[in-house]
Structure formats: structure tokens, C-alpha cells
Amino acid sequence: MPVALAVAVFLSELAPTRARFGLTTVVDLLAAIPSVVYGFWAVLILVPLMAHTVEPGIQHATGAVGPFSGHAGGLDVLTAGIVLAVMILPTISAVSREALSAVSRQQREAAMSLGATRWEATRLAVLGPAMSGILGAILLGLGRALGETIAVTLVVGNNNQVPTSLFSPGQTISSLIASDLNSAVAQGPLEFSALVELGLVLLLLTIAVNVVARLMIWRIRSGEAGGARHRRKHSRASLLRFAPALDSGVANPRGVEPEWRRAALARLPERIRRRHSVFLLIAGLCFLATVLAIVPLASILYTAVDLGGGAVVRPTFYTETQPSACNPGALVTCPIGGVGPQIEGTLILLGLAAAIALPVGILIGIYLAEYGRNRLGPGVSFVTDVMTGIPSILLGTFVLVVFLRYYSDAASSALAGGVALSVLMLPLIVRTTEEALKTVPVAVRESALALGFPRHRVTLRVAVGTARNAIVTGALLAAARAGGETAALLLTTGGFQYWPLGLTHPIGALPLVIFEAGLSGYANWETDAWGATLLLLGIMLIISLSTRLLLRRAPSNE
């Protein structure tokens, strides 16, 4: 929370104008990295660092008592918490930045016109009105952390015991479901029902957190937060201390300055220097927080290029299957394969998901923006917002349960995986479509209606046509989120090494090969996994940059 808030303040209020776009883009790229990549990176880089350096150092400094007792092994609650902190940082930062930007510019200018520094103007005139949105951002980050599955599963230790310290291995609801749900299907109805009920508990927790968060953010967007009740109140004595010199002329006809005023004027240069020093200190700390937020992204990219760069430059990497697992030795040369089935499987899954989610999501978005000014519209919009915070492991569980009940032969198949990804994509497509259509000026619609066009043609030809760049942006964002999804596919696709044989057969995907082969202990499989990681990162980064370019070209109300 403090790091993300410092990043938001720096990018919104303190950073030079020319540097804001680039730094904002880099920080937001953290949100585009799939969770399986975070987990894979944490196992290779963060866990050894925690086990050999950080945790022993903490124990040496604290005496290994209380929350820092126990064996410092790296696979524990503290490491999982750090990974989650890195993952939710761009979410908290982005929503907090939006809340800060929603505060009227006049409040900043009013504070600065009275002599406040940029930090003082931010502290006195911006943070107060934006506090509701900042709290909503923190709760949104908490909601994502509650449902995170793959990264936590890889580093938390997966021990079904109550942790006695931060260095104890632990377990979360989502990691337990991911680890045991597929096997529980074969074990019997009792185990399966228990895990599904745990999923219900997690669902209720995340819905409660996300509902509160959305209500807080809605207050910011509707302008209910902020205003006079957030203004800083000063005592009469503090106001008189900085009263203009005209007052002294009235109180002292001879123009004699009171002693306290002369003392205050004598200290004025020192106070100005101190306030400027405080501003530089705060700006420096916020800049360091921004650099700290970028470090994980740089480390992930460097590690992926270092360990997977040799794989992605081979043409056969994109066409061949994974080789037989082995470790090279003095007399053993391991075969090198590729991830051709996983690439094809990812494209098929995304195609299925898009075929289901795009028409449904765009139609719902059109309804909310053009025809949703009734009792049903706000409810649908609010449910859509809450759905964006539901953990993907629960969506995968839902799809698996539905298929087991009504179409058990395809419970682990390309069809089930595509349906799971479509449910994941749907709320994001709905929200971006609705917001895109709201940016189309009312005058454009009225001009078309004045020419005699029926309302449905105005909506489809004029409004949708004008907002098509932003709608395409939403589709790309949804595809980026689905392309890196692992938890839902882990429950619904049935494997990671299969060539696609049909919609009702098991299918592989890039996130699955990273999760399954990356920690297999076999050198040639791990090389392919890092190559798949670099390929997936490249796809996510290209989609993220493309969406930003499209958003900059999207029309505005101006």
C-alpha cells in the first residue's frame, strides 16, 4: 500500500510531464504479466534470495522470536505475501492515480496560489478528497490477492497447518482448490463437495471486498467524495500568524510591527528552505518507490531473456512437441523440442473464448450505454464490476462443475477451457464497451437522429463506429488477460502436452506448459518452459502497448 500510493502520487502529481506517460506505461505493464510467470520467477529468483539472505538476516536482527521464528526456507507465508504485493501493486497504483486525477484542478491551483509547494498542495488539497477512491483501490488489490492462485501455490509451501510465524509454510483456499480439485473428482463426492464449499467461502469473501471497493470508487466518480468537509481546518491563531500586513496597520496606528510578526518574518527564509527540502525529500522517496515497483518487471524480463532466449530463436521451437524429459550429463545429450501444441492450443482456446464473449459482452455493453437508463441497468453494471474481481480459480471450478453435471465427457477439454476463458473475458469486454460508447458525444447521436435514422442504426453505425478503437482495445485487454490465465485452464483443459484433436478432447496451452514443465527438474523441459515464458511475455507486452496506442487515438468528449 505505501509503495503503490507513493507511485500514484509521483506519477499523478510530482513527476515531470514528459516522463509521466513512459513511467505509467512501464508500471502498468506489471499488471499484464501472467500470474504463472510471477510464480515461476519467484521460485527461481525470489525464493533463494529469501532463503539465503533476507530471512536469515531478519532472524539475526530480531533474534528469531515471535513472527520471525522457525526455519527460514523461502517457501513460506512471507515470500507469498511479497509476491502478492508485487502483483497487486499496479492495481492499487492505477486506481489510486485515477482517484487523484478526479480531484478538481482548481483545488491544486488554489493551494499553490497561496504559496504551497506541490507536495503541500497534494497533501492538503488532493489526498483528502481522493481518500475514498484510494481506500477502494486498496480493497480492489486485496480482492485480487484473496483469489490469486498459481503464484501463491508455487511459493506458499502448501502445508495444511496453521502458520505459527511468517517463515512457516502455509496454504490458501485457492491454492488448495488448484492442487486437489482434479484428484478429488476421482476420490469421491465428499472431498469434491468440501473443496467446492471452500470455493463458496472464497467467493463470498471476494464479493464482499469487491462490493465495498466498487462503492468507494463509485463515490469518487460521482463526485460525492471531497468538497468542503475535506478542507483542512486551522485555528484562528494559526491564521493570524500569516495575516497580511494591513491588519497591523489597523491594530497599530503608528505602524509598529508586533514582536511576533518580526520574529516570524525573520524565520521566513529558513521556513521556505525547510518546506522546499521536505518537498524534495518526498519527491525523492516517491521516485524511489516507482523504481522499486519497476525492479520486478526488469528482473522478470532479464531472467526470461537469459534462460529462454536460446529457445525462442530456434524455428523448431514453434512447431515441434516437447521432447522426452532428461538431464544432460557427460555421456548424455538431451533432445530439444518445442511448444507447438501449446501455441496452437492457446490460439484455439482464445478463439473459442472470443467467439462466445465478444458478441455477448459487446451487446451487454451497448445495452448499458444506450438503453440502460432504467432500474435494470445500474444493477447489471454493478454486477459486471463485481465479476471482474472474482478469482479465476472459482470461474474454473464453476465451469468444471457445470460440465461434470451436464456434459461430463467434455469436462476436461478445449470446449470447457474456452468456456472458462469466455466467462473470464466477459466482464472486461462489457465494461470497456460501455465506457467507450459513453465517450461518443451526444451531438453525434442527435445529428444522426435529426437526419431520420432509426435509433438502432444510430447505435450500431454511428456510436459503435465512432468508438470502435476503444472497443477493440477492450477486446485486446480481455484477450491478454485470458491468454495468461492458468488456474481456470488447470481445472478444465485436462493436460499440457496434447496436440488439439477436437473440441471435446484435452488440449495444451502456453501457461500450462510453464506451470507443469517449468519446475519439473528436467533441463530440456525447463528450457522450453522459459522459452514459453518469454514468448508469452512478448505477446502480453505487444497487446498492452497496442491497447495504449489505440486508447490515445480513441475519441473524447472534447
PDB file of all heavy atoms in Angstrom, residues 88-110:
ATOM      1  N   ILE A  88      -0.268  -7.011  -6.882  1.00  0.00           N
ATOM      2  CA  ILE A  88      -1.388  -6.090  -6.711  1.00  0.00           C
ATOM      3  C   ILE A  88      -0.941  -4.633  -6.738  1.00  0.00           C
ATOM      4  O   ILE A  88      -1.784  -3.735  -6.776  1.00  0.00           O
ATOM      5  CB  ILE A  88      -2.148  -6.368  -5.401  1.00  0.00           C
ATOM      6  CG1 ILE A  88      -1.292  -6.016  -4.176  1.00  0.00           C
ATOM      7  CG2 ILE A  88      -2.609  -7.810  -5.346  1.00  0.00           C
ATOM      8  CD1 ILE A  88      -2.025  -6.175  -2.855  1.00  0.00           C
ATOM      9  N   LEU A  89       0.360  -4.381  -6.747  1.00  0.00           N
ATOM     10  CA  LEU A  89       0.849  -3.001  -6.761  1.00  0.00           C
ATOM     11  C   LEU A  89       0.332  -2.203  -7.957  1.00  0.00           C
ATOM     12  O   LEU A  89      -0.134  -1.071  -7.774  1.00  0.00           O
ATOM     13  CB  LEU A  89       2.378  -2.994  -6.715  1.00  0.00           C
ATOM     14  CG  LEU A  89       3.056  -1.630  -6.537  1.00  0.00           C
ATOM     15  CD1 LEU A  89       4.330  -1.788  -5.722  1.00  0.00           C
ATOM     16  CD2 LEU A  89       3.403  -0.989  -7.874  1.00  0.00           C
ATOM     17  N   PRO A  90       0.376  -2.727  -9.203  1.00  0.00           N
ATOM     18  CA  PRO A  90      -0.146  -1.907 -10.311  1.00  0.00           C
ATOM     19  C   PRO A  90      -1.640  -1.642 -10.207  1.00  0.00           C
ATOM     20  O   PRO A  90      -2.114  -0.598 -10.652  1.00  0.00           O
ATOM     21  CB  PRO A  90       0.205  -2.739 -11.556  1.00  0.00           C
ATOM     22  CG  PRO A  90       0.428  -4.123 -11.054  1.00  0.00           C
ATOM     23  CD  PRO A  90       0.983  -3.982  -9.676  1.00  0.00           C
ATOM     24  N   THR A  91      -2.407  -2.568  -9.605  1.00  0.00           N
ATOM     25  CA  THR A  91      -3.840  -2.342  -9.434  1.00  0.00           C
ATOM     26  C   THR A  91      -4.100  -1.183  -8.475  1.00  0.00           C
ATOM     27  O   THR A  91      -4.862  -0.260  -8.775  1.00  0.00           O
ATOM     28  CB  THR A  91      -4.515  -3.622  -8.910  1.00  0.00           C
ATOM     29  OG1 THR A  91      -4.322  -4.680  -9.846  1.00  0.00           O
ATOM     30  CG2 THR A  91      -6.001  -3.391  -8.691  1.00  0.00           C
ATOM     31  N   ILE A  92      -3.462  -1.229  -7.311  1.00  0.00           N
ATOM     32  CA  ILE A  92      -3.645  -0.147  -6.336  1.00  0.00           C
ATOM     33  C   ILE A  92      -3.142   1.169  -6.904  1.00  0.00           C
ATOM     34  O   ILE A  92      -3.773   2.219  -6.745  1.00  0.00           O
ATOM     35  CB  ILE A  92      -2.919  -0.493  -5.024  1.00  0.00           C
ATOM     36  CG1 ILE A  92      -3.485  -1.784  -4.425  1.00  0.00           C
ATOM     37  CG2 ILE A  92      -3.047   0.642  -4.021  1.00  0.00           C
ATOM     38  CD1 ILE A  92      -2.757  -2.233  -3.172  1.00  0.00           C
ATOM     39  N   SER A  93      -2.004   1.136  -7.573  1.00  0.00           N
ATOM     40  CA  SER A  93      -1.425   2.358  -8.127  1.00  0.00           C
ATOM     41  C   SER A  93      -2.319   2.966  -9.198  1.00  0.00           C
ATOM     42  O   SER A  93      -2.562   4.179  -9.205  1.00  0.00           O
ATOM     43  CB  SER A  93      -0.038   2.053  -8.698  1.00  0.00           C
ATOM     44  OG  SER A  93       0.484   3.170  -9.372  1.00  0.00           O
ATOM     45  N   ALA A  94      -2.843   2.132 -10.111  1.00  0.00           N
ATOM     46  CA  ALA A  94      -3.649   2.653 -11.217  1.00  0.00           C
ATOM     47  C   ALA A  94      -4.961   3.259 -10.717  1.00  0.00           C
ATOM     48  O   ALA A  94      -5.345   4.356 -11.140  1.00  0.00           O
ATOM     49  CB  ALA A  94      -3.924   1.540 -12.221  1.00  0.00           C
ATOM     50  N   VAL A  95      -5.661   2.568  -9.818  1.00  0.00           N
ATOM     51  CA  VAL A  95      -6.940   3.090  -9.326  1.00  0.00           C
ATOM     52  C   VAL A  95      -6.713   4.310  -8.443  1.00  0.00           C
ATOM     53  O   VAL A  95      -7.480   5.278  -8.480  1.00  0.00           O
ATOM     54  CB  VAL A  95      -7.704   1.983  -8.582  1.00  0.00           C
ATOM     55  CG1 VAL A  95      -9.047   2.507  -8.079  1.00  0.00           C
ATOM     56  CG2 VAL A  95      -7.938   0.789  -9.494  1.00  0.00           C
ATOM     57  N   SER A  96      -5.653   4.308  -7.630  1.00  0.00           N
ATOM     58  CA  SER A  96      -5.338   5.489  -6.823  1.00  0.00           C
ATOM     59  C   SER A  96      -4.998   6.674  -7.715  1.00  0.00           C
ATOM     60  O   SER A  96      -5.387   7.818  -7.427  1.00  0.00           O
ATOM     61  CB  SER A  96      -4.170   5.189  -5.885  1.00  0.00           C
ATOM     62  OG  SER A  96      -4.483   4.171  -4.973  1.00  0.00           O
ATOM     63  N   ARG A  97      -4.268   6.430  -8.774  1.00  0.00           N
ATOM     64  CA  ARG A  97      -3.934   7.504  -9.711  1.00  0.00           C
ATOM     65  C   ARG A  97      -5.192   8.075 -10.356  1.00  0.00           C
ATOM     66  O   ARG A  97      -5.322   9.287 -10.556  1.00  0.00           O
ATOM     67  CB  ARG A  97      -2.989   6.949 -10.784  1.00  0.00           C
ATOM     68  CG  ARG A  97      -2.278   8.005 -11.604  1.00  0.00           C
ATOM     69  CD  ARG A  97      -1.199   7.389 -12.446  1.00  0.00           C
ATOM     70  NE  ARG A  97      -1.714   6.486 -13.447  1.00  0.00           N
ATOM     71  CZ  ARG A  97      -1.459   5.182 -13.495  1.00  0.00           C
ATOM     72  NH1 ARG A  97      -0.682   4.625 -12.579  1.00  0.00           N
ATOM     73  NH2 ARG A  97      -1.956   4.418 -14.440  1.00  0.00           N
ATOM     74  N   GLU A  98      -6.152   7.200 -10.661  1.00  0.00           N
ATOM     75  CA  GLU A  98      -7.418   7.672 -11.211  1.00  0.00           C
ATOM     76  C   GLU A  98      -8.172   8.522 -10.197  1.00  0.00           C
ATOM     77  O   GLU A  98      -8.759   9.558 -10.547  1.00  0.00           O
ATOM     78  CB  GLU A  98      -8.277   6.469 -11.625  1.00  0.00           C
ATOM     79  CG  GLU A  98      -9.619   6.849 -12.214  1.00  0.00           C
ATOM     80  CD  GLU A  98     -10.441   5.634 -12.568  1.00  0.00           C
ATOM     81  OE1 GLU A  98      -9.901   4.512 -12.572  1.00  0.00           O
ATOM     82  OE2 GLU A  98     -11.646   5.803 -12.839  1.00  0.00           O
ATOM     83  N   ALA A  99      -8.139   8.107  -8.925  1.00  0.00           N
ATOM     84  CA  ALA A  99      -8.817   8.887  -7.875  1.00  0.00           C
ATOM     85  C   ALA A  99      -8.155  10.244  -7.693  1.00  0.00           C
ATOM     86  O   ALA A  99      -8.837  11.265  -7.527  1.00  0.00           O
ATOM     87  CB  ALA A  99      -8.805   8.105  -6.562  1.00  0.00           C
ATOM     88  N   LEU A 100      -6.841  10.301  -7.727  1.00  0.00           N
ATOM     89  CA  LEU A 100      -6.134  11.577  -7.604  1.00  0.00           C
ATOM     90  C   LEU A 100      -6.433  12.488  -8.786  1.00  0.00           C
ATOM     91  O   LEU A 100      -6.601  13.703  -8.631  1.00  0.00           O
ATOM     92  CB  LEU A 100      -4.632  11.329  -7.489  1.00  0.00           C
ATOM     93  CG  LEU A 100      -4.145  10.607  -6.227  1.00  0.00           C
ATOM     94  CD1 LEU A 100      -2.664  10.267  -6.349  1.00  0.00           C
ATOM     95  CD2 LEU A 100      -4.385  11.466  -4.998  1.00  0.00           C
ATOM     96  N   SER A 101      -6.500  11.914  -9.984  1.00  0.00           N
ATOM     97  CA  SER A 101      -6.772  12.723 -11.177  1.00  0.00           C
ATOM     98  C   SER A 101      -8.200  13.253 -11.190  1.00  0.00           C
ATOM     99  O   SER A 101      -8.480  14.250 -11.875  1.00  0.00           O
ATOM    100  CB  SER A 101      -6.514  11.883 -12.439  1.00  0.00           C
ATOM    101  OG  SER A 101      -5.174  11.434 -12.487  1.00  0.00           O
ATOM    102  N   ALA A 102      -9.112  12.567 -10.469  1.00  0.00           N
ATOM    103  CA  ALA A 102     -10.506  13.010 -10.455  1.00  0.00           C
ATOM    104  C   ALA A 102     -10.715  14.255  -9.605  1.00  0.00           C
ATOM    105  O   ALA A 102     -11.750  14.918  -9.720  1.00  0.00           O
ATOM    106  CB  ALA A 102     -11.410  11.883  -9.947  1.00  0.00           C
ATOM    107  N   VAL A 103      -9.756  14.588  -8.752  1.00  0.00           N
ATOM    108  CA  VAL A 103      -9.872  15.792  -7.920  1.00  0.00           C
ATOM    109  C   VAL A 103      -9.729  17.024  -8.810  1.00  0.00           C
ATOM    110  O   VAL A 103      -8.866  17.083  -9.689  1.00  0.00           O
ATOM    111  CB  VAL A 103      -8.807  15.787  -6.811  1.00  0.00           C
ATOM    112  CG1 VAL A 103      -8.890  17.056  -5.979  1.00  0.00           C
ATOM    113  CG2 VAL A 103      -8.981  14.558  -5.929  1.00  0.00           C
ATOM    114  N   SER A 104     -10.568  18.005  -8.570  1.00  0.00           N
ATOM    115  CA  SER A 104     -10.581  19.208  -9.396  1.00  0.00           C
ATOM    116  C   SER A 104      -9.204  19.882  -9.422  1.00  0.00           C
ATOM    117  O   SER A 104      -8.536  20.019  -8.388  1.00  0.00           O
ATOM    118  CB  SER A 104     -11.629  20.193  -8.875  1.00  0.00           C
ATOM    119  OG  SER A 104     -11.540  21.420  -9.560  1.00  0.00           O
ATOM    120  N   ARG A 105      -8.807  20.315 -10.597  1.00  0.00           N
ATOM    121  CA  ARG A 105      -7.530  21.003 -10.752  1.00  0.00           C
ATOM    122  C   ARG A 105      -7.524  22.332 -10.004  1.00  0.00           C
ATOM    123  O   ARG A 105      -6.471  22.821  -9.579  1.00  0.00           O
ATOM    124  CB  ARG A 105      -7.259  21.229 -12.237  1.00  0.00           C
ATOM    125  CG  ARG A 105      -5.891  21.808 -12.536  1.00  0.00           C
ATOM    126  CD  ARG A 105      -5.678  21.920 -14.023  1.00  0.00           C
ATOM    127  NE  ARG A 105      -4.376  22.498 -14.340  1.00  0.00           N
ATOM    128  CZ  ARG A 105      -3.950  22.711 -15.579  1.00  0.00           C
ATOM    129  NH1 ARG A 105      -4.704  22.399 -16.612  1.00  0.00           N
ATOM    130  NH2 ARG A 105      -2.759  23.252 -15.781  1.00  0.00           N
ATOM    131  N   GLN A 106      -8.685  22.920  -9.828  1.00  0.00           N
ATOM    132  CA  GLN A 106      -8.764  24.205  -9.132  1.00  0.00           C
ATOM    133  C   GLN A 106      -8.280  24.102  -7.689  1.00  0.00           C
ATOM    134  O   GLN A 106      -7.735  25.055  -7.149  1.00  0.00           O
ATOM    135  CB  GLN A 106     -10.193  24.718  -9.170  1.00  0.00           C
ATOM    136  CG  GLN A 106     -10.685  25.080 -10.574  1.00  0.00           C
ATOM    137  CD  GLN A 106     -12.111  25.535 -10.576  1.00  0.00           C
ATOM    138  OE1 GLN A 106     -12.811  25.417  -9.568  1.00  0.00           O
ATOM    139  NE2 GLN A 106     -12.573  26.050 -11.706  1.00  0.00           N
ATOM    140  N   GLN A 107      -8.482  22.944  -7.055  1.00  0.00           N
ATOM    141  CA  GLN A 107      -8.041  22.798  -5.674  1.00  0.00           C
ATOM    142  C   GLN A 107      -6.513  22.823  -5.591  1.00  0.00           C
ATOM    143  O   GLN A 107      -5.951  23.403  -4.661  1.00  0.00           O
ATOM    144  CB  GLN A 107      -8.591  21.493  -5.090  1.00  0.00           C
ATOM    145  CG  GLN A 107     -10.103  21.515  -4.946  1.00  0.00           C
ATOM    146  CD  GLN A 107     -10.646  20.313  -4.193  1.00  0.00           C
ATOM    147  OE1 GLN A 107     -11.564  19.644  -4.623  1.00  0.00           O
ATOM    148  NE2 GLN A 107     -10.069  20.033  -3.038  1.00  0.00           N
ATOM    149  N   ARG A 108      -5.858  22.186  -6.540  1.00  0.00           N
ATOM    150  CA  ARG A 108      -4.390  22.250  -6.570  1.00  0.00           C
ATOM    151  C   ARG A 108      -3.927  23.680  -6.799  1.00  0.00           C
ATOM    152  O   ARG A 108      -3.031  24.181  -6.115  1.00  0.00           O
ATOM    153  CB  ARG A 108      -3.846  21.348  -7.678  1.00  0.00           C
ATOM    154  CG  ARG A 108      -4.151  19.868  -7.537  1.00  0.00           C
ATOM    155  CD  ARG A 108      -3.682  19.142  -8.797  1.00  0.00           C
ATOM    156  NE  ARG A 108      -3.853  17.699  -8.709  1.00  0.00           N
ATOM    157  CZ  ARG A 108      -4.986  17.073  -8.974  1.00  0.00           C
ATOM    158  NH1 ARG A 108      -6.057  17.763  -9.338  1.00  0.00           N
ATOM    159  NH2 ARG A 108      -5.049  15.759  -8.888  1.00  0.00           N
ATOM    160  N   GLU A 109      -4.527  24.331  -7.780  1.00  0.00           N
ATOM    161  CA  GLU A 109      -4.098  25.687  -8.120  1.00  0.00           C
ATOM    162  C   GLU A 109      -4.368  26.662  -6.981  1.00  0.00           C
ATOM    163  O   GLU A 109      -3.574  27.581  -6.748  1.00  0.00           O
ATOM    164  CB  GLU A 109      -4.813  26.133  -9.395  1.00  0.00           C
ATOM    165  CG  GLU A 109      -4.412  25.317 -10.635  1.00  0.00           C
ATOM    166  CD  GLU A 109      -5.226  25.696 -11.845  1.00  0.00           C
ATOM    167  OE1 GLU A 109      -6.252  26.385 -11.672  1.00  0.00           O
ATOM    168  OE2 GLU A 109      -4.855  25.298 -12.961  1.00  0.00           O
ATOM    169  N   ALA A 110      -5.481  26.452  -6.267  1.00  0.00           N
ATOM    170  CA  ALA A 110      -5.785  27.339  -5.146  1.00  0.00           C
ATOM    171  C   ALA A 110      -4.734  27.206  -4.053  1.00  0.00           C
ATOM    172  O   ALA A 110      -4.270  28.207  -3.479  1.00  0.00           O
ATOM    173  CB  ALA A 110      -7.168  27.016  -4.591  1.00  0.00           C
TER     174      ALA A 110
END
